[in-house]
Amino acid sequence: MLAIGVCYSVNAFLLVSRPHQRQPQRPSHLTEKLSYNSTLLPNAAFQPPEALPHRYPDMVDTFASYKYRNICNISSLDLHLPFAPLCPDRESMLTAMASGGRIGHDAPYMPRGCDMRWFPTEEICEILSRFEKVIILGDSMMRHVVGSINVLIRKDLGYGAVTDWNFSPEERQDCFCNYQFNVKSCSVQGIFKTSDVAKNDPESLACPADKIDVIIEQMIRFPIPTDELDRLRGLLPPKKPARPYAFIYGHGLWNNLDLQATLDWLDTILDASVQAAPWLSSTSHSRPKSKSKSKGSRAAAIAAAKEERDRTAGFWPRLFMTPNAAGKEKPDEWVVSQGNKALMIFEESVGVEVGRRGVEHIGTWNMTIQSNKFDGV
């Protein structure tokens, strides 16, 4: 049924977008342009994607031109099943993605209520080029995130996440396809910044090397070591750049899902970021003068304090990702403290707390509970 649904979506798109052919004259109600999705199925659980150009990548295998596509045997349609409607804004998309799941074990992922876009590499390059730098901070999960980004911008399913330009024959065999994400064998060969690719293997980049800059700084524990904070500060210029910086955070398992430790970890990073780059802070921007004549207004004081803490006045895009669902190979000694119940509670609590800090959140538990875990944990 899943394959039928995908085929129907593709056929619906091709049907609507086929070349014009001469047809007998018909009544206007049959030929006039419709203001709604004419492929809607009244009793279907999921409607086919809208027949619009920007939805075409959702309905085809965008990995078809990637290196090692056939050997690794991975299709983008294995990962995401498109449907209508698209989410209208970022807030609803994050909620839909965190609430979504799969219809069956290892089935393609679907957000709940509204769909996300599946971006081809060309659009991914364009999105990344909007930022001066994309900084990813966190643990091994975030290393997988940056590895996945590198697979997409290098169009390489075999070695896209790793430094294959300096591999030995044994490493080329051990770190191939899914095995390039093997934490024990291949993590040290992971690509931690796109500038390394631009320096050592520029031809493998599908994006203009001078337009994108993605980097990961691994910060796994709290308290955060001084040298790690110094490296973070070194990434941030004291003066506001021409393009914004974006930040993706991920934390939890290394502090045993201790909510307070995670919040302290995040607060330390946010404070260190503002210290190094004052232009990130709301206080570095001029604010409109209050019309209230009561300078001692308690409500005004609370609002001012919240604005300072949330740092939302400037454009400072930040996203926090909480850990994925636990797999069946999770060691028994960690089932209580890091099992699925603990992960669900942690995800919900983090979402509330980071929102108070002006940071957006995406949960990954629901989207991964029915997926196969490479390492089983």
Side-chain angles (χ1 to χ4, degrees):
M1 290 302 294
L2 185 62
I4 294 174
V6 174
C7 290
Y8 180 84
S9 299
V10 175
N11 288 335
F13 178 85
L14 295 175
L15 179 65
V16 174
S17 59
R18 69 190 187 279
H20 176 73
Q21 297 177 354
R22 185 181 298 275
Q23 298 288 346
Q25 187 173 1
R26 293 176 291 175
S28 60
H29 70 276
L30 296 179
T31 58
E32 64 185 3
K33 186 176 181 180
L34 302 177
S35 59
Y36 57 90
N37 186 357
S38 60
T39 61
L40 287 178
L41 303 177
N43 299 316
F46 298 98
Q47 301 296 338
E50 300 88 341
L52 300 170
H54 62 270
R55 297 236 61 186
Y56 178 71
D58 297 339
M59 295 180 280
V60 299
D61 178 16
T62 57
F63 294 163
S65 62
Y66 279 31
K67 295 179 182 177
Y68 306 108
R69 159 63 181 85
N70 293 332
I71 298 176
C72 297
N73 193 28
I74 302 173
S75 165
S76 64
L77 295 174
D78 295 333
L79 307 181
H80 169 240
L81 184 65
F83 64 96
L86 278 177
C87 296
D89 51 45
R90 190 169 67 246
E91 182 179 1
S92 61
M93 183 192 70
L94 290 174
T95 300
M97 291 181 68
S99 305
R102 304 163 194 274
I103 306 176
H105 183 75
D106 243 9
Y109 163 75
M110 301 176 70
R112 181 181 180 183
C114 59
D115 200 10
M116 56 178 246
R117 283 283 315 281
W118 182 272
F119 295 108
T121 293
E122 292 72 21
E123 284 191 80
I124 294 171
C125 294
E126 193 277 327
I127 292 170
L128 293 175
S129 69
R130 299 174 189 174
F131 302 97
E132 197 77 29
K133 194 185 294 287
V134 177
I135 301 176
I136 300 172
L137 303 165
D139 51 22
S140 57
M141 174 180 171
M142 306 314 290
R143 190 169 64 241
H144 293 329
V145 169
V146 76
S148 300
I149 292 174
N150 283 311
V151 167
L152 295 171
I153 64 177
R154 298 180 74 196
K155 288 190 171 184
D156 188 341
L157 294 172
Y159 299 108
V162 289
T163 60
D164 58 312
W165 55 81
N166 60 12
F167 270 11
S168 66
E170 291 77 15
E171 289 171 326
R172 294 193 68 83
Q173 180 177 352
D174 294 341
C175 302
F176 184 55
C177 292
N178 282 337
Y179 290 94
Q180 62 188 303
F181 292 97
N182 188 315
V183 174
K184 294 181 179 180
S185 303
C186 305
S187 61
V188 295
Q189 287 90 353
I191 297 172
F192 296 148
K193 48 187 177 181
T194 51
S195 58
D196 285 344
V197 184
K199 177 182 177 181
N200 295 284
D201 192 12
E203 296 299 320
S204 71
L205 278 174
C207 305
D210 60 337
K211 298 293 185 181
I212 63 168
D213 190 357
V214 181
I215 186 171
I216 182 173
E217 284 292 340
Q218 295 192 82
M219 295 181 170
I220 60 178
R221 293 183 176 88
F222 182 82
I224 304 174
T226 302
D227 61 314
E228 293 182 4
L229 289 173
D230 288 341
R231 286 201 302 270
L232 170 60
R233 295 187 186 101
L235 296 174
L236 303 172
K239 294 184 178 181
K240 186 177 180 180
R243 295 175 293 171
Y245 276 51
F247 297 80
I248 307 174
Y249 312 107
H251 188 263
L253 292 176
W254 281 88
N255 274 96
N256 212 27
L257 300 182
D258 183 332
L259 177 62
Q260 190 58 54
T262 291
L263 297 177
D264 290 341
W265 176 89
L266 178 62
D267 287 338
T268 301
I269 289 175
L270 295 178
D271 291 338
S273 300
V274 170
Q275 291 170 7
W279 46 270
L280 289 172
S281 174
S282 61
T283 57
S284 66
H285 298 265
S286 59
R287 304 178 189 171
K289 295 182 179 180
S290 174
K291 296 181 180 179
S292 174
K293 295 181 179 180
S294 176
K295 295 183 179 180
S297 169
R298 183 172 181 272
I302 293 175
K306 185 179 187 300
E307 182 181 13
E308 167 63 18
R309 186 57 180 165
D310 287 358
R311 307 172 178 91
T312 55
F315 183 55
W316 188 8
R318 294 160 292 172
L319 178 68
F320 197 106
M321 297 180 65
T322 38
N324 57 272
K328 61 184 179 182
E329 299 300 324
K330 174 74 72 173
D332 291 345
E333 60 265 32
W334 300 112
V335 167
V336 174
S337 60
Q338 296 184 9
N340 284 315
K341 179 180 179 180
L343 286 164
M344 294 169 70
I345 295 173
F346 180 78
E347 178 176 294
E348 183 176 343
S349 301
V350 168
V352 172
E353 292 297 332
V354 301
R356 293 172 178 168
R357 290 157 171 78
V359 178
E360 293 179 300
H361 168 251
I362 183 168
T364 65
W365 187 89
N366 213 58
M367 67 172 69
T368 56
I369 184 61
Q370 283 190 294
S371 65
N372 182 49
K373 314 296 189 298
F374 176 73
D375 58 4
V377 300

